[in-house]
Amino acid sequence: MNRFAIKAGLGACVLGASVLIPAQVSAEPAATATGTELSGMTVFLDPGHQGSSEGHDLAQQVNDGRGNTKDCQTSGMTSLGGVPEHTINWNVTQLVKSSLESLGAKVVLSRQDDTGWGGCIDERARAASESNADLAVSIHADSTAQGEDAGKHGFHMIIPSLPIPDEKADAAQSGGGLEASKMMRDAYKSDGFVPANYAGVNDGLQTRADVAGPALTQVPLVFVEMGNGSNKEDSAQLESSDGQLKHAITITTGIVTYLLTGSETAPAQELAAAPAATTAPEASEDSASSTTTTTPKATTPKSTNPKSTAPDSAQLSELMEMLAPLLEVQGLDGLQDLVNDKNLGLVSDLASTLMAVITGAGGN
């Protein structure tokens, strides 16, 4: 499989994943996607929490991966606007799933709906490991207070404290997991998201030993906290269809960047410099399916963001047609109304990025 230099605009494949791929490393013009770019690759997606815990004991103690136990699961946060975290996570995951499948990837989910039970954290980690995924991504949103917390905001990736007792989990998280987490962090920063300013987060990375998922997962894992649901601005973005779309674009960018350019390098010094959080918000963990055999990935240079140019009306119309399949994604209420007078600017910006990739604008 050919490796491609990833542009930040790749995230726009959430809007037209079956249409475009980034320019190749050799500086060739951007190519039309065949739908097989991720063929043979598996991604495990874990939309945090669950729709219902009826019949299950959230306080049941399970293995935390470090010789102790912790609660089986938590209910997750509720945003300031009253949207439960499990639904936000589910909506974003469905968009990411659609995009990855459009490029030929196999996607395995930790839970199959947003109404029932999602599984204990150890079950989800085991499912991820048994899926033998090239990458697992656990998608969450954070909270720091019951009500509004105006001073704390931003995204972060949870990184496990190393080493991890389980040798396979340690190899996966100190290698590919750490690298993929940094790539996801970079994708978030490139797309204009601000790193969290609380709980010991250092440039978008938070080192923790109390989150069981990464310590139990034997394939590379990225644990995303998209934003703080206790913050008014973060919450509004997490609740809205266009905000969820923006998060999905960024998460897709991070995943595909790792799958196509990841090298599974050893841990970098950056983590050593990142302070472990002494006080951390409630961890939001979830469930899934899989086992480990990670394939080394070829090292290729990472690219910079393309400089987009605004498309003309004909090009925009063509791009709007590309949106149709994803606008019909079931289970994401209101997405079909994404393109309207209020948010046309957002879609236009995304279309401009797509056009920049089509024309190869901005170089590699």
Side-chain angles (χ1 to χ4, degrees):
M1 177 185 217
N2 292 330
R3 302 296 179 183
F4 303 88
I6 301 300
K7 297 181 178 180
L10 176 67
C13 68
V14 173
L15 299 180
S18 63
V19 183
L20 303 172
I21 55 177
Q24 295 187 2
V25 176
S26 59
E28 297 173 5
T32 299
T34 64
T36 61
E37 289 69 31
L38 300 182
S39 179
M41 295 185 178
T42 299
V43 179
F44 185 88
L45 296 179
D46 174 31
H49 307 287
Q50 60 280 315
S52 171
S53 59
E54 184 177 357
H56 298 272
D57 180 9
L58 294 181
Q60 173 190 341
Q61 293 301 288
V62 301
N63 178 18
D64 73 347
R66 298 183 186 272
N68 298 303
T69 63
K70 69 177 301 178
D71 289 353
C72 150
Q73 192 51 269
T74 61
S75 58
M77 68 88 179
T78 299
S79 71
L80 292 176
V83 181
E85 181 190 343
H86 66 81
T87 295
I88 295 169
N89 300 338
W90 178 257
N91 289 349
V92 172
T93 296
Q94 292 307 294
L95 286 167
V96 175
K97 175 178 181 289
S98 178
S99 176
L100 295 174
E101 288 178 338
S102 295
L103 293 173
K106 175 184 177 181
V107 177
V108 180
L109 296 179
S110 66
R111 56 185 174 100
Q112 303 308 309
D113 56 54
D114 195 39
T115 56
W117 171 243
C120 292
I121 53 179
D122 61 330
E123 295 172 325
R124 297 187 186 214
R126 182 166 57 251
S129 299
E130 291 174 356
S131 71
N132 218 13
D134 295 274
L135 183 65
V137 181
S138 193
I139 297 173
H140 296 263
D142 201 8
S143 66
T144 55
Q146 291 293 330
E148 184 174 353
D149 192 351
K152 297 174 183 175
H153 59 83
F155 78 89
H156 65 278
M157 311 297 141
I158 295 179
I159 306 290
S161 296
L162 302 171
I164 296 170
D166 181 275
E167 290 185 1
K168 289 184 178 180
D170 184 66
Q173 306 321 328
S174 65
L178 178 57
E179 181 179 30
S181 294
K182 291 178 179 178
M183 289 180 172
M184 187 70 73
R185 181 270 315 276
D186 292 345
Y188 260 82
K189 291 176 67 176
S190 294
D191 286 351
F193 289 95
V194 178
N197 64 347
Y198 61 90
V201 175
N202 185 329
D203 194 24
L205 302 179
Q206 182 195 52
T207 305
R208 292 178 59 176
D210 64 330
V211 180
L216 292 168
T217 303
Q218 297 179 341
V219 297
L221 171 69
V222 176
F223 197 115
V224 182
E225 293 283 7
M226 296 181 286
N228 183 6
S230 302
N231 176 275
K232 186 176 180 180
E233 289 73 23
D234 282 11
S235 183
Q237 188 168 60
L238 290 167
E239 294 164 3
S240 69
S241 294
D242 57 348
Q244 292 170 7
L245 179 62
K246 289 180 71 174
H247 277 289
I249 288 169
T250 302
I251 291 171
T252 300
T253 301
I255 292 171
V256 180
T257 299
Y258 173 74
L259 292 179
L260 298 185
T261 73
S263 59
E264 291 203 5
T265 57
Q269 298 89 349
E270 177 178 354
L271 239 204
T278 53
T279 58
E282 176 182 330
S284 43
E285 299 183 274
D286 302 85
S287 117
S289 65
S290 253
T291 46
T292 294
T293 313
T294 47
T295 305
K297 307 185 191 308
T299 304
T300 47
K302 200 175 167 197
S303 61
T304 56
N305 296 343
K307 297 179 180 178
S308 61
T309 56
D312 61 31
S313 59
Q315 292 169 328
L316 184 57
S317 296
E318 181 180 353
L319 288 167
M320 292 303 101
E321 291 181 10
M322 296 175 188
L323 291 174
L326 281 168
L327 295 178
E328 296 173 358
V329 172
Q330 295 184 3
L332 195 59
D333 295 339
L335 184 61
Q336 64 270 25
D337 299 320
L338 178 66
V339 184
N340 54 43
D341 291 340
K342 183 177 180 181
N343 55 31
L344 183 60
L346 169 67
V347 177
S348 179
D349 288 345
L350 296 173
S352 296
T353 303
L354 278 171
M355 289 310 306
V357 178
I358 290 174
T359 61
N364 292 337

